[in-house]
Amino acid sequence: MTLSHIALAAMCAMTFVDEAALREFIETRAYMLGRPNQTQFSPQGEVLFFLRSKPEEEELSLFEFELATKTERELVTAKQLLGDAAEQLSVEEKAQRERSRSMAQGIASFELSAEGKHVLFSLSGALYAVALPGVGLGKAVVVHLGPKTGAALSAEFSPDGKHVAYVKGFDIYVVNLQTRRHRRLTRGGTEELSHGLAEFIAQEEFGRAQGYWFSQDGKRLLFQQTDHRGMERLEVANPASPESKPVSFFYPRAGKPNARLRLGLVSTWGGPITWVEWDNKTYPYLMNVRWTKGGNVILSVMNRPQNTLVLLEIDGQTGKHRRTLLEEKDEAWVNIDQSFPVWLPDDSGFFWRTEKKGAPEIELRLADGRHVQTWVKAEAGFSQWAGFDKKRQTLFFSGGPNPTEPKLYAVTQAQEPKLFYGNPGEMVFGRWDEKAQRMLVSAVSLEAMPRQWVLDEGGKALVEVPSVAKAPKLFPQIEIRQLSKGIQPWTRIVKPKNFDAKKRYPVVLEIYGGPHVQEVVQSWPRALGLQWLANQGFVVVSFDVQGTPGRGRAWERAIFHNFAERISKEQVEALKQLALEFPQMDLSKVGVMGSSFGGYMAAILLMRYPEVFRAGVAMAPVVDWRDYDSAYTERYLGMPEEHPEVYEKNSVLSHVDKAQRPLLLVHGTADDNVYFFHTLKLADALFRKGKPCEVLPIANATHMLGADKEIGQRLWKLRAQFFQKHLHEGNHP
């Protein structure tokens, strides 16, 4: 085993194709900086609010855009409030941003009050409300809400827009927008027993960032109490700064204790807490929460194996269980979609997503859970919820027959879906705003970067949301096709510029391969880095084999209890099949690379198939699934004490004896998702067996290895240099 600083030194002497383009690709975050994000309509639909940075800066500012006049105005910037002072983030807020994979700086997120008169955001732990006079009516007024000490987290408007709730010091507070008086709603919160914050699993694996919820009349609050006592704590140290104190995290490894949750009800004026009756031993996982207009609470909860989900109705005054609305079961696991249940505006019923018939369907159910009818059938290829127009009784969703390019469809009163918006070769997603009676559409393709439009209720484009992003200098040489034989996976081929069909090129398999992630999609920004790598003289390919979403329940559940064998075998079969259809691939010179689950698969493929792969780069790889988090791991592999053989065969460590080819391991030492000790365990095992391995630890880097732009640029060069060395040069048996 050697440290890769030698490789880094060699890299510095190399000449790369399009090095200036790589630098700009990194500086612009794949040309996504300068594009509007988190876009929201005003209640009347006349104005859009969004966050946007400059083309090469991370710092987001708040903008408004008047649709009729196409007038844009910058409302507030971080610099206006902080001056030259650096933004300060608490450990908890850093962790929240890591969970959401956010690299944003400045105004990282915002919320618009229901009546549309105020915008709320936090900056350096302080809360700010922006009073909105309207476009062209003078300057917006920014109000500092506090708190005077400590940092505010997870701030949210009350439904009437008169109060803001937030969490400080692990307890919940409410501040009056007019008087700016702060009121404490819970007491006794600590790091071990917190109030109002979503736990690690909810944020990382279930897509739930909220830890408290206002009733619709704003008079009561339901909050989560999280008990971490008895959980493992893992520490993250900075080896480059040994005098610094390590940061400790509660981390639930597979088979070990999770955080224990319970829910409390409290008046927004304070007072006694009523605890909710909920069988949290049988159903320890809280998916989502919603208050009904009648003042009851709907809980979506799941058992630890994640094969049973139930929807419960709870009395919003007494906390008692009123009834169970439905139960969703699956022999493997139940997929989570945080969009559901979607309640009708009058609370007479709700839409529900199910896969009971082999693919996602959207059902309409009554308020008591009884099935009414199926609005979106399995053959429609449902991908993502886009909204419901009560006035026209029309449901909107993204989907269709081709999972690489979903379009926007409309379903009126459970009839056949009709195309609402979308062009061939384009991915389209939408969000219907019921108050504004307008649709916000996002579209991207292999020929166009992401753009946003506003559509009217009939699908007519009204205006494009303004962007100041740079145009890419890396032009796509990308082909997406479905292989004709075997399991017929969708495939992405990235060819070098000046591609010569008479030549044969070394191949790099870029892989994620894990659940809930599609690599092969019609998206230019998703392949920009791969295009730069291909321009160094490679054909870069990716395959969405079984286990990936978009092709039905059986396709997705095929990897249950079987990551290593199933996915690696199908990746190799797809590689060989593609070579028959695309003969410019030189299968005597194949490398593999991936990060996170993709890093795991890169290591597995390199060890299981040394006759196919000549070299591999594994970044932040999961090495032993016993060391990864409980919710993700147990969903697919079961409990380790019940299925030890499953964990054994799916561990990279079980394949070390087969290792023959050069492997480069890259890992951030501050990674609190896939901890650095994963790479250390693998490097140690390879070293002891006398197997080839290079290790590059990146000091104080997290799971988002490219968060530092300099690191991001060097990592692309390092991978290019590694594959140049092992695929282009020398003879390969």
Side-chain angles (χ1 to χ4, degrees):
M1 182 183 73
T2 61
L3 287 174
S4 277
H5 297 98
I6 299 173
L8 283 170
M11 179 188 72
C12 294
M14 285 192 62
T15 300
F16 296 98
V17 177
D18 292 330
E19 189 163 354
L22 172 66
R23 183 166 53 253
E24 187 171 276
F25 159 70
I26 295 295
E27 290 295 327
T28 61
R29 298 292 186 198
Y31 298 92
M32 296 303 292
L33 296 181
R35 299 184 189 278
N37 66 80
Q38 302 181 44
T39 308
Q40 296 184 37
F41 285 102
S42 66
Q44 296 75 30
E46 299 170 350
V47 176
L48 286 174
F49 298 93
F50 57 85
L51 299 177
R52 199 181 66 199
S53 69
K54 294 180 180 178
E56 293 185 352
E57 294 182 10
E58 308 281 1
E59 187 172 289
L60 294 168
S61 299
L62 178 64
F63 289 81
E64 66 176 355
F65 179 65
E66 189 176 42
L67 302 184
T69 63
K70 299 182 182 179
T71 303
E72 171 193 308
R73 183 169 61 147
E74 187 176 61
L75 288 174
V76 62
T77 70
K79 187 173 181 61
Q80 289 170 357
L81 301 174
L82 299 180
D84 294 328
E87 184 180 2
Q88 301 296 319
L89 298 179
S90 66
V91 172
E92 291 76 22
E93 188 168 2
K94 286 179 181 178
Q96 285 184 344
R97 293 195 186 185
E98 184 72 21
R99 300 286 72 78
S100 63
R101 306 296 188 265
S102 171
M103 292 182 280
Q105 298 174 16
I107 303 173
S109 63
F110 74 98
E111 183 188 2
L112 180 67
S113 62
E115 83 290 351
K117 294 181 180 179
H118 292 88
V119 170
L120 174 70
F121 63 90
S122 65
L123 187 64
S124 279
L127 298 177
Y128 296 89
V130 183
L132 300 169
V135 174
L137 298 180
K139 290 185 177 180
V141 179
V142 182
V143 179
H144 181 269
L145 297 178
K148 291 182 179 179
T149 61
L153 290 170
S154 303
E156 185 176 323
F157 278 119
S158 61
D160 60 10
K162 295 179 180 179
H163 296 83
V164 170
Y166 63 94
V167 178
K168 185 186 78 168
F170 306 104
D171 275 313
I172 303 172
Y173 293 75
V174 172
V175 55
N176 185 293
L177 219 58
Q178 293 298 320
T179 66
R180 303 185 206 175
R181 291 183 61 183
H182 295 251
R183 186 170 56 252
R184 187 172 186 167
L185 300 187
T186 66
R187 296 187 179 276
T190 66
E191 189 179 12
E192 288 190 326
L193 194 69
S194 66
H195 298 131
L197 294 175
E199 77 281 16
F200 172 90
I201 280 175
Q203 295 181 54
E204 182 68 38
E205 305 300 354
F206 297 146
R208 175 174 65 83
Q210 283 182 288
Y212 65 84
W213 301 264
F214 276 106
S215 61
Q216 292 195 31
D217 61 10
K219 294 180 179 179
R220 292 177 72 74
L221 200 75
L222 180 79
F223 69 91
Q224 169 181 330
Q225 184 188 75
T226 308
D227 188 349
H228 293 105
R229 291 172 298 189
M231 283 186 66
E232 272 194 319
R233 296 187 76 141
L234 302 183
E235 291 191 337
V236 173
N238 182 0
S241 179
E243 71 280 4
S244 301
K245 184 179 179 181
V247 180
S248 177
F249 296 95
F250 293 105
Y251 188 85
R253 287 196 275 186
K256 297 193 175 183
N258 283 333
R260 298 185 301 278
L261 310 186
R262 66 171 176 167
L263 298 173
L265 290 159
V266 64
S267 167
T268 49
W269 292 100
I273 294 170
T274 300
W275 297 104
V276 169
E277 288 185 358
W278 154 40
D279 185 2
N280 56 7
K281 291 185 178 179
T282 303
Y283 302 104
Y285 290 143
L286 177 65
M287 299 296 107
N288 55 50
V289 172
R290 183 191 182 275
W291 285 84
T292 67
K293 285 186 176 179
N296 292 320
V297 177
I298 308 298
L299 303 183
S300 176
V301 295
M302 185 177 282
N303 63 347
R304 182 153 177 168
Q306 299 174 68
N307 56 19
T308 304
L309 180 148
V310 293
L311 208 59
L312 308 176
E313 186 177 54
I314 304 295
D315 189 295
Q317 292 292 328
T318 66
K320 294 186 180 298
H321 175 223
R322 297 186 75 237
R323 56 185 172 178
T324 299
L325 303 183
L326 63 79
E327 181 181 73
E328 189 81 20
K329 286 191 171 184
D330 192 285
E331 292 180 359
W333 70 82
V334 177
N335 275 325
I336 304 304
D337 188 331
Q338 285 291 353
S339 299
F340 298 93
V342 178
W343 285 77
L344 299 177
D346 61 2
D347 274 4
S348 62
F350 60 91
F351 289 105
W352 183 250
R353 180 188 185 276
T354 182
E355 294 181 81
K356 290 177 180 176
K357 294 184 180 179
E361 293 186 310
I362 308 303
E363 306 170 330
L364 177 62
R365 291 176 173 265
L366 296 177
D368 62 7
R370 286 180 293 167
H371 181 271
V372 178
Q373 60 188 156
T374 299
W375 276 54
V376 181
K377 296 181 173 61
E379 56 268 26
F382 175 88
S383 172
Q384 191 174 110
W385 176 264
F388 179 69
D389 179 7
K390 177 187 175 184
K391 180 180 177 182
R392 294 184 298 150
Q393 290 292 292
T394 298
L395 180 158
F396 300 100
F397 73 95
S398 288
N402 185 340
T404 74
E405 49 175 270
K407 304 293 184 290
L408 197 57
Y409 289 87
V411 178
T412 301
Q413 296 181 336
Q415 298 173 4
E416 287 297 310
K418 294 183 178 179
L419 182 67
F420 186 73
Y421 191 85
N423 301 305
E426 188 175 55
M427 299 178 71
V428 182
F429 302 95
R431 188 174 74 249
W432 172 257
D433 190 288
E434 180 68 7
K435 288 183 179 179
Q437 284 287 295
R438 287 176 172 174
M439 178 79 76
L440 179 70
V441 165
S442 300
V444 66
S445 71
L446 294 179
E447 298 177 353
M449 292 293 285
R451 299 164 68 193
Q452 291 185 356
W453 287 271
V454 176
L455 310 183
D456 65 15
E457 66 275 8
K460 178 184 176 182
L462 300 177
V463 65
E464 183 175 349
V465 187
S467 166
V468 295
K470 286 187 172 183
K473 291 182 179 177
L474 287 163
F475 300 101
Q477 303 289 320
I478 303 169
E479 178 185 343
I480 287 181
R481 65 169 72 176
Q482 187 175 18
L483 296 186
S484 59
K485 295 183 179 179
I487 61 170
Q488 298 180 314
W490 284 96
T491 301
R492 177 178 60 204
I493 308 167
V494 185
K495 296 174 283 189
K497 67 178 184 180
N498 303 321
F499 174 76
D500 186 345
K502 297 178 182 179
K503 293 183 179 180
R504 299 179 74 218
Y505 293 84
V507 179
V508 175
L509 172 63
E510 189 271 337
I511 186 171
Y512 185 84
H516 301 287
V517 174
Q518 286 179 255
E519 281 289 297
V520 184
V521 289
Q522 304 276 352
S523 173
W524 189 355
R526 287 278 296 272
L528 276 167
L530 303 180
Q531 185 64 63
W532 181 85
L533 180 63
N535 289 350
Q536 310 312 306
F538 303 99
V539 168
V540 182
V541 299
S542 299
F543 307 101
D544 279 346
V545 300
Q546 290 189 99
T548 56
R551 296 184 65 176
R553 183 203 168 278
W555 175 276
E556 194 171 355
R557 303 309 195 281
I559 60 170
F560 189 53
H561 287 190
N562 191 352
F563 285 161
E565 181 181 1
R566 168 79 71 174
I567 298 173
S568 64
K569 180 174 180 289
E570 291 184 358
Q571 290 281 341
V572 170
E573 289 174 349
L575 185 68
K576 293 178 178 178
Q577 178 61 35
L578 179 60
L580 297 176
E581 301 180 15
F582 192 80
Q584 291 82 9
M585 294 166 53
D586 185 350
L587 287 194
S588 71
K589 300 176 180 179
V590 182
V592 59
M593 71 178 195
S595 183
S596 196
F597 192 99
Y600 162 75
M601 284 310 308
I604 288 286
L605 282 163
L606 195 66
M607 293 178 191
R608 284 178 59 87
Y609 294 95
E611 73 281 7
V612 175
F613 298 97
R614 300 300 182 237
V617 180
M619 302 202 306
V622 178
V623 169
D624 189 334
W625 289 102
R626 297 176 186 87
D627 292 325
Y628 196 59
D629 81 58
S630 56
Y632 184 97
T633 307
E634 294 163 9
R635 181 188 307 154
Y636 308 116
L637 301 183
M639 297 293 286
E641 63 269 23
E642 296 174 5
H643 303 283
E645 76 290 349
V646 171
Y647 279 75
E648 193 66 26
K649 73 179 182 181
N650 285 289
S651 171
V652 181
L653 300 176
S654 298
H655 302 275
V656 164
D657 284 341
K658 306 171 190 173
Q660 299 178 28
R661 302 298 187 181
L663 172 63
L664 172 60
L665 296 171
V666 182
H667 214 130
T669 64
D671 195 333
D672 65 349
N673 179 13
V674 182
Y675 281 75
F676 181 53
F677 66 75
H678 282 266
T679 280
L680 289 179
K681 282 188 174 184
L682 180 54
D684 179 72
L686 289 166
F687 175 73
R688 291 175 184 276
K689 294 285 186 178
K691 303 294 185 176
C693 178
E694 296 179 58
V695 182
L696 176 61
I698 302 182
N700 220 30
T702 67
H703 199 60
M704 297 186 290
L705 278 168
D708 181 298
K709 290 182 177 181
E710 183 179 5
I711 290 174
Q713 185 175 345
R714 290 189 178 278
L715 284 177
W716 280 106
K717 291 181 179 180
L718 178 63
R719 283 175 285 186
Q721 185 269 344
F722 186 81
F723 290 126
Q724 288 277 9
K725 175 182 177 181
H726 294 290
L727 302 184
H728 274 303
E729 301 170 9
N731 297 317
H732 303 278

